[in-house]
Amino acid sequence: MDDKILIDYCLVSKTLIEDRLVSPKAKALYSILCNWPHGYDCSLKNLSDEMRSGKESVSDLLKELEDLGYIERNRIRGPDGRYDITKYSVFTKPSH
């Protein structure tokens, strides 16, 4: 197998791809989350830039994935008490 093929893809849950409750845009966002390396800054701004969509639209897609159990968001407060970082857990099957 060509070495380029081995490193030039990411795995996306077949369960999610076949789930008719998940919108096509949410599937695209899920794919982006799966593709980004562990520890990448998954801020709403970076996700919006990558999706070429507004922050509100991306926020709605994140909520859709969360409500369906495909992701979990953990918001972490900074030293000033404001939410500073959001960590995402991505699941291959709905978590609930």
Side-chain angles (χ1 to χ4, degrees), residues 18-87:
E18 295 175 349
D19 190 335
R20 299 191 75 178
L21 296 175
V22 182
S23 70
K25 285 186 179 185
K27 290 176 183 181
L29 180 57
Y30 179 90
S31 298
I32 288 168
L33 291 171
C34 288
N35 184 53
W36 282 354
H38 181 74
Y40 189 84
D41 177 11
C42 294
S43 67
L44 195 53
K45 181 193 180 323
N46 285 348
L47 290 169
S48 297
D49 289 348
E50 188 70 22
M51 288 289 293
R52 297 182 188 162
S53 295
K55 289 180 183 178
E56 187 174 333
S57 174
V58 171
S59 183
D60 290 345
L61 294 171
L62 288 167
K63 179 151 178 34
E64 176 183 341
L65 290 170
E66 191 172 29
D67 288 347
L68 292 171
Y70 285 102
I71 67 167
E72 185 176 281
R73 290 187 274 184
N74 183 17
R75 298 180 75 192
I76 300 167
R77 292 185 187 272
D80 61 357
R82 294 177 34 194
Y83 286 116
D84 190 30
I85 298 171
T86 302
K87 294 196 176 208

